Amino acid sequence: MSVEIKGAVDSLVPAPEFDDKNEAAVLILSKDALSLVEMNARAVSMLGYTKQELQTLAPSDLLFDRSLNRSPEMSFIRGDSLILRHANGQKIFCKSSSGAIVIAGKSRLVVTLSPETKKERNARIDALLHLAVEQMPDAMIVYDMDDRLLYFNQAYRQIFPYMPPLEELVGKHFFDIIRITMKAPGVVMDPLCYSDPEAYLAKRLERLHHPSTGMFEQPSAGGWHLIHEQRIPGVGFVSLRRDITRDKQLHDEMTAANHRLEEAAGAMEKAHAEAVSARISAEQANRAKSEFLAMMSHELRTPLNAIIGFSSVMQQEIFGPVGNTRYQEYPAMINDSGSHLLAIINDILDLAKIEAGKMELDRQWMDGNGLIIECARLMSGLALSREVTIELYSVGPEGTVMLDIDKDIPVSGQISSGDQVSGKLFYADARMSKQMVVNLLSNACKFTPASGTIRLSYDWSDARSREIRVEDTGIGMSPADIALALQPFRQVADVSVTTESGTGLGLPLVKSFVEMHGGQLEIDSKLGEGTTARLQFPFVAGSDARKTLPEGRSAGTE
């Protein structure tokens, strides 16, 4: 029998051949195995060196791989397989045995070397591979080209303990192995296994012949497996499987923990944002309070000073007895100042009632044209002092008609059945409606320069709603100014420099009043061009209108 000696991959030197019947190669080493003392002819022939060359070499120089984590002495003393280096650089696989001997009074180490046959070497490699596969943590199962079981390792039996021993299953067809799995309770998760077993077998056979590329996760009874399947030409089918249940649990726990952290972080961010918002709101409220107090100190002090001053002059008769003609204008001034002070207090009380939900509506049917005429007359004095013109319009289904503030008579009080204004009616609280229009007209007069025009109109052309518009050619507002003006106690103009009086409650009250009616306040404005304010009221029609109209009157159509 010849022995194959393998060398480096790139070596083309033929390996020497040895006759198994020849004597064993013998090396005599020093006791410490650090030097070669003697060798027989067989050793010289097997190693490919001359005797003189060998005597110049250390025993470690004969080892093919000197990087192994053991001393050269142990390599020769262990008495197991060795890989030596031939003179031409190729590997020599051999078995070794060693023993101590005394030669000429000196202790020597005798090592005998027997070349390993190809069959012995293959058997040793097979044993090593089998040991490695048996000890690997991944479950392995192998089928041959005819779909018959070749092998599975211990890890496979640990994952599938219901499987009989390998010795009983070797050579069994793939279907026989799968049927064992199908009978095991709770193992197969695929519903097809129970609804159509033959279809499930066909599905598994298709997977055996055409496995998926790469690794994939698969649920199992009580856990998860990571699977890698491969079809090897000339060998068959190989499957590696690892139990990743604990890894999945850790991943899920980590994911859940991260989710909880994200929720906690989100909650903290939200709480922080709410705290910042509350702080800003508190600062704004404090600033609004300060501005309100500054404004109210001016608004209340002015009429009170007038009341106290004029009444003091009259009381002390500074200009003589009270019958003096100069005192005749003072009661009117005192009355005006008192009325102004009362109006301020009423506005504050109305806003407080609205915020407390205590304000109630006293609705009645009113003529919109009459309402705007009456409000225009109330504000005519202010308009005259500001040198602005108020124009009145009625917008109906047939077009727009200009109203005359002096000739047209406003409709007020109870609407009788004889009036022919049913199309112009709208259903609202009379006091609030008048206050809303007066507030809007007052603002328009205050902030419209001399020679400007204010257009006040009542639009009843839409059967679904009623609209009162106040359009002016005043100084206008920016969007930020509009938002500010709609806040209670806030004014667009700085109270320290403006010449116009006010509490900053006019527009907030108008907005609250119209919303109590189910309507809305819309404001369009541009700086330097003017402002348009719209009061939109929903129109009560049908049965609701008939219920609320005075007796003998119908809602009518446009």
Side-chain angles (χ1 to χ4, degrees):
M1 179 182 297
S2 62
V3 177
E4 177 185 2
I5 301 178
K6 290 188 176 180
V9 175
D10 56 351
S11 176
L12 299 178
V13 180
E17 295 185 355
F18 303 102
D19 190 343
D20 291 339
K21 295 180 180 179
N22 288 346
E23 61 180 333
V26 178
L27 299 175
I28 298 178
L29 282 60
S30 61
K31 184 180 179 181
D32 56 9
L34 296 178
S35 62
L36 277 169
V37 177
E38 190 60 69
M39 66 290 299
N40 65 356
R42 174 67 172 138
V44 172
S45 172
M46 184 178 74
L47 295 172
Y49 296 93
T50 65
K51 187 173 183 179
Q52 291 74 19
E53 291 173 336
L54 284 173
Q55 288 176 336
T56 62
L57 298 175
S60 60
D61 294 332
L62 300 177
L63 296 174
F64 188 84
D65 189 354
R66 287 179 289 180
S67 63
L68 296 175
N69 190 22
R70 60 184 179 183
S71 66
E73 178 183 9
M74 291 304 299
S75 298
F76 287 102
I77 292 176
R78 286 176 61 89
D80 55 5
S81 298
L82 285 176
I83 304 177
L84 302 179
R85 184 186 299 275
H86 192 270
N88 62 14
Q90 293 183 325
K91 294 179 182 178
I92 303 174
F93 296 91
C94 58
K95 298 177 293 182
S96 69
S97 61
S98 64
I101 188 174
V102 177
I103 301 176
K106 295 182 179 181
S107 296
R108 304 295 185 189
L109 184 64
V110 179
V111 179
T112 60
L113 303 172
S114 301
E116 192 176 58
T117 65
K118 185 175 181 180
K119 181 178 180 181
E120 290 173 337
R121 186 166 66 254
N122 290 341
R124 179 170 56 82
I125 293 174
D126 288 345
L128 290 173
L129 289 175
H130 183 270
L131 180 62
V133 171
E134 282 295 309
Q135 297 301 320
M136 66 186 297
D138 293 347
M140 172 188 280
I141 188 168
V142 183
Y143 291 92
D144 63 16
M145 297 297 293
D146 297 323
D147 303 336
R148 297 190 176 276
L149 179 66
L150 285 177
Y151 173 79
F152 58 69
N153 63 358
Q154 292 181 8
Y156 189 86
R157 283 289 305 278
Q158 291 174 357
I159 291 181
F160 303 108
Y162 56 84
M163 278 290 178
L166 177 63
E167 295 76 12
E168 297 180 17
L169 297 178
V170 170
K172 294 287 186 181
H173 192 270
F174 174 73
F175 282 166
D176 298 327
I177 308 301
I178 295 301
R179 287 191 179 98
I180 295 174
T181 302
M182 293 169 67
K183 292 178 183 179
V187 175
V188 180
M189 309 296 291
D190 192 338
L192 188 63
C193 171
Y194 308 101
S195 62
D196 191 345
E198 292 303 318
Y200 176 73
L201 287 171
K203 177 181 177 180
R204 289 301 308 272
L205 185 64
E206 174 65 19
R207 175 173 149 186
L208 181 77
H209 291 163
H210 303 91
S212 59
T213 303
M215 295 183 289
F216 62 92
E217 295 180 356
Q218 177 178 292
S220 63
W224 284 84
H225 291 165
L226 180 65
I227 301 174
H228 184 202
E229 299 175 339
Q230 188 173 1
R231 192 83 182 176
I232 304 175
V235 176
F237 174 84
V238 179
S239 173
L240 294 175
R241 180 185 298 256
R242 178 178 301 175
D243 190 339
I244 59 170
T245 304
R246 181 56 182 161
D247 295 339
K248 291 282 286 186
Q249 290 175 346
L250 291 175
H251 179 269
D252 292 344
E253 290 172 1
M254 185 173 295
T255 301
N258 288 336
H259 182 65
R260 289 194 294 270
L261 284 174
E262 290 176 359
E263 288 183 340
M268 292 179 64
E269 289 180 2
K270 182 179 179 182
H272 175 70
E274 290 175 350
V276 171
S277 177
R279 178 178 60 81
I280 293 174
S281 298
E283 291 175 352
Q284 291 177 342
N286 187 59
R287 191 161 50 247
K289 179 192 70 175
S290 300
E291 293 176 359
F292 170 70
L293 291 175
M295 181 170 50
M296 289 303 294
S297 64
H298 167 75
E299 293 295 329
L300 295 176
R301 189 183 298 114
T302 300
L304 283 174
N305 284 338
I307 293 171
I308 294 171
F310 290 126
S311 61
S312 177
V313 169
M314 294 176 67
Q315 182 181 18
Q316 298 176 25
E317 297 184 342
I318 293 176
F319 297 107
V322 176
N324 191 303
T325 55
R326 296 192 61 178
Y327 294 116
Q328 293 178 359
E329 61 183 277
Y330 290 175
M333 293 179 179
I334 293 173
N335 182 269
D336 290 343
S337 297
S339 298
H340 178 57
L341 181 60
L342 179 62
I344 293 174
I345 295 173
N346 284 338
D347 284 350
I348 295 174
L349 291 176
D350 283 344
L351 186 63
K353 286 182 180 179
I354 293 172
E355 291 178 350
K358 302 296 184 180
M359 180 70 77
E360 296 181 358
L361 297 177
D362 182 15
R363 299 192 193 213
Q364 65 184 55
W365 287 97
M366 297 183 296
D367 174 27
N369 290 340
L371 174 66
I372 65 173
I373 292 172
E374 185 174 354
C375 292
R377 289 179 178 174
L378 288 174
M379 300 305 297
S380 59
L382 178 61
L384 184 62
S385 67
R386 298 290 300 182
E387 299 181 14
V388 296
T389 303
I390 299 178
E391 297 178 354
L392 303 178
Y393 295 91
S394 176
V395 182
E398 298 179 357
T400 302
V401 177
M402 188 172 185
L403 302 177
D404 190 327
I405 191 172
D406 297 318
K407 295 181 179 180
D408 290 310
I409 301 175
V411 177
S412 60
Q414 187 85 2
I415 298 176
S416 66
S417 59
D419 295 327
Q420 301 298 319
V421 292
S422 60
K424 306 181 185 67
L425 298 182
F426 77 105
Y427 191 57
D429 185 292
R431 184 186 71 85
M432 289 187 186
S433 299
K434 184 185 295 184
Q435 186 172 349
M436 284 186 278
V437 178
V438 166
N439 283 357
L440 293 178
L441 276 177
S442 175
N443 284 343
C445 290
K446 290 176 182 178
F447 298 104
T448 299
S451 303
T453 302
I454 299 172
R455 181 185 177 109
L456 175 60
S457 58
Y458 172 62
D459 189 342
W460 50 283
S461 60
D462 190 340
R464 297 167 298 178
S465 65
R466 298 290 182 265
E467 182 176 281
I468 297 174
R469 286 192 297 272
V470 179
E471 306 168 75
D472 64 54
T473 58
I475 60 176
M477 294 184 290
S478 67
D481 290 338
I482 295 174
L484 185 65
L486 290 172
Q487 297 179 25
F489 308 117
R490 305 298 295 270
Q491 288 183 316
V492 174
D494 189 338
V495 297
S496 65
V497 299
T498 182
T499 59
E500 305 302 335
S501 62
T503 61
L505 294 177
L507 284 180
L509 279 174
V510 171
K511 182 175 182 293
S512 298
F513 285 166
V514 74
E515 288 176 353
M516 288 181 65
H517 287 79
Q520 61 182 355
L521 168 65
E522 290 186 355
I523 299 177
D524 296 321
S525 186
K526 288 185 179 180
L527 287 172
E529 297 184 12
T531 301
T532 299
R534 297 180 178 87
L535 292 173
Q536 297 177 340
F537 297 86
F539 181 67
V540 181
S543 59
D544 292 333
R546 287 192 294 272
K547 290 177 183 177
T548 54
L549 275 170
E551 185 179 355
R553 184 154 202 66
S554 63
T557 58
E558 312 297 51

